[in-house]
Amino acid sequence: MTSLLSWLDTDSRQRDQAMAVLDAFRDRTTVDELGVGSIRDAITQQLFPGSSVLHTRARYLLFIPWLVADAMTARDADAAVAELRRGEVRLIDVLADSEDRQGLIGGQARADLRRMPSAMYWAALRSYGLTTSRASIAGLLRDGAAHTAEIRRAPREADDEHGPALLRPGIDPHALLLRPRDWPQGTSFALTSAEADYLRGRIMTSHPESLYAWFLREEVEVGTARDFVWEHPQAGEFPAAMAEWVEHGRAFSVLNRGAALLYNLQLAEASEHAERTERYRADLVEWRAAVDGPDGLRNWSLDAFWRLLSGAGARISRPTRTFVDRWHELVASGPGIVDDDGARELIAHRERSLKGPRARLVNPSALNAWSGASALAQLQYNWPTARRILDDIQASALVEVPA
């Protein structure tokens, strides 16, 4: 039986939440098997607000407003929605012909792409103030088409490139002023200096206390830390508030890694897969050594972690907190976590509480569908995404604004 997920386009908050859930299941590095996504997302929101694992290049933050503005000139809402999709497909084709195709969304699927970049970036556009509308994309297009119809019914003085023709409901006109004259022909992912300055200003203004803003404000290059922000060579210079979030994020990432490994070990044993069982046992031994090392959990206060999350308004459910508390207690009690009956039952109980009869450890059919590795990627809090966006903005210093 096919499952369906639907929403009203006027309820933008619920729609964003629903799409975030779908995003998590599309990207195997973020699948939340043990239900800690609320903690991960709360930390991410402090460090790199507005970011998503689906984001690939910074200029999409401008492509989308330009495309939406173009679509708003359609005769009605339905035509505007169709025109936006056609515009996004045209953009894919143009970018596919450019020299830099890294991060291209839809390069293979083209017109068959199910979820367009506009949907992937819409929440970020809100977060950074490039759109002031709280409606869905369809809702904003409906407002825009109505605005266009009103203008056509009541003609005004001829518009020039800086006049009312640039005004589109819910879109920051400053973003539209940056649209190239020959858009979308010859478009690439390279930001002009003016575009980069605009995006830098939007992120810094909308989230001034974030680590995102610090990197941009201080013009700090992303450096060689490819996987985790706490490995950045200038991590010691992070602002005190952000350094606290980074350290707690690092510790929780280490703690959660062990739970994910034990979960996969139990699945491997239940599947009677000797090679995987051996590998996960070895990984747990390595993880245990990291936990006990100088960069492990030796000086980490879980109580301080909960206070920090609470102070930021994070909504962590009681069962989630109980699970993390108990897992931390077991890890801190000694090195024998691999074969500890209490630890194994905790993981099994957590999966059952989240998935019910669909839990792999109790459902043979679900176990047979296991790929062999589930939710193993250590929590990164969207640092790889932030690196890409920061790289694009910082690289713009070498790009001249077209005459």
Side-chain angles (χ1 to χ4, degrees):
M1 181 177 179
T2 301
S3 298
L4 298 176
L5 180 63
S6 61
W7 55 82
L8 297 174
D9 70 8
T10 53
D11 192 341
S12 59
R13 181 183 63 82
Q14 291 186 2
R15 182 182 190 278
D16 288 346
Q17 289 175 343
M19 295 315 298
V21 171
L22 292 179
D23 291 348
F25 283 97
R26 287 188 181 96
D27 190 287
R28 64 183 178 85
T29 65
T30 61
V31 175
D32 188 18
E33 295 283 9
L34 297 177
V36 297
S38 57
I39 299 175
R40 175 201 63 209
D41 294 346
I43 298 171
T44 301
Q45 177 60 24
Q46 295 297 318
L47 300 177
F48 307 113
S51 63
S52 163
V53 293
L54 299 183
H55 294 172
T56 58
R57 302 298 294 266
R59 211 178 185 205
Y60 274 116
L61 292 166
L62 292 169
F63 290 157
I64 306 310
W66 298 343
L67 288 165
V68 170
D70 291 343
M72 284 180 173
T73 62
R75 66 180 181 277
D76 57 38
D78 290 340
V81 170
E83 178 55 36
L84 175 59
R85 183 174 181 85
R86 284 192 294 270
E88 294 198 72
V89 173
R90 285 195 298 269
L91 177 63
I92 292 171
D93 292 337
V94 171
L95 292 171
D97 290 335
S98 66
E99 293 183 1
D100 180 8
R101 292 181 290 276
Q102 184 178 2
L104 172 61
I105 298 172
Q108 297 295 323
R110 302 289 178 105
D112 294 328
L113 184 64
R114 289 189 175 185
R115 192 173 184 212
M116 289 292 180
S118 57
M120 300 177 187
Y121 279 80
W122 196 244
L125 295 180
R126 284 204 191 105
S127 183
Y128 306 144
L130 278 80
T131 176
T132 57
S133 173
R134 304 309 302 173
S136 66
I137 300 177
L140 182 57
L141 288 172
R142 182 175 59 241
D143 294 342
H147 174 76
T148 299
E150 180 182 351
I151 291 177
R152 288 170 178 163
R153 286 193 297 269
R156 304 176 183 182
E157 295 181 5
D159 295 330
D160 60 26
E161 62 176 334
H162 300 298
L166 271 179
L167 299 179
R168 297 288 184 267
I171 300 179
D172 183 6
H174 296 93
L176 300 185
L177 282 169
L178 296 168
R179 182 168 45 182
R181 292 177 182 274
D182 60 348
W183 162 260
Q185 299 304 315
T187 294
S188 72
F189 285 121
L191 290 164
T192 67
S193 295
E195 292 168 359
D197 285 345
Y198 171 74
L199 292 179
R200 183 184 291 110
R202 285 285 80 229
I203 294 173
M204 288 171 55
T205 300
S206 56
H207 302 286
E209 303 303 320
S210 68
L211 201 55
Y212 238 158
W214 180 81
F215 272 100
L216 294 169
R217 183 170 53 250
E218 303 300 325
E219 299 182 349
V220 176
E221 295 184 0
V222 295
T224 58
R226 306 198 66 84
D227 295 324
F228 306 104
V229 69
W230 47 86
E231 295 175 342
H232 192 276
Q234 291 179 251
E237 300 174 25
F238 291 167
M242 286 298 101
E244 184 178 15
W245 279 103
V246 168
E247 174 55 21
H248 280 293
R250 181 203 64 79
F252 182 71
S253 180
V254 171
L255 179 70
N256 184 68
R257 168 75 170 161
L261 284 171
L262 183 56
Y263 173 58
N264 280 270
L265 172 60
Q266 289 175 261
L267 293 176
E269 292 172 343
S271 302
E272 298 181 349
H273 196 294
E275 182 180 348
R276 289 172 182 166
T277 297
E278 182 179 355
R279 182 174 80 243
Y280 289 129
R281 278 187 168 272
D283 287 345
L284 276 163
V285 170
E286 183 179 345
W287 166 79
R288 183 74 236 190
V291 167
D292 295 334
D295 295 325
L297 304 178
R298 188 177 300 171
N299 299 315
W300 185 47
S301 169
L302 186 58
D303 288 339
F305 181 50
W306 293 131
R307 286 195 298 271
L308 186 66
L309 288 170
S310 177
R315 297 182 178 180
I316 312 301
S317 70
R318 174 55 59 181
T320 296
R321 178 163 177 167
T322 299
F323 168 69
V324 173
D325 283 341
R326 179 57 180 153
W327 175 249
H328 179 261
E329 179 184 343
L330 288 164
V331 171
S333 65
I337 202 76
V338 176
D339 294 307
D340 186 280
D341 290 339
R344 286 169 169 264
E345 176 52 31
L346 176 67
I347 298 297
H349 179 270
R350 181 61 173 169
E351 190 197 27
R352 289 195 304 270
S353 68
L354 293 170
K355 303 177 185 177
R358 296 177 293 106
R360 293 190 181 104
L361 289 173
V362 297
N363 185 321
S365 296
L367 180 62
N368 289 337
W370 177 51
S371 66
S374 189
L376 275 175
Q378 190 169 335
L379 299 178
Q380 298 171 297
Y381 311 110
N382 287 359
W383 168 240
T385 293
R387 289 187 77 257
R388 289 192 293 267
I389 302 303
L390 291 167
D391 265 336
D392 279 350
I393 293 175
Q394 292 170 346
S396 69
L398 304 176
V399 180
E400 295 183 358
V401 179

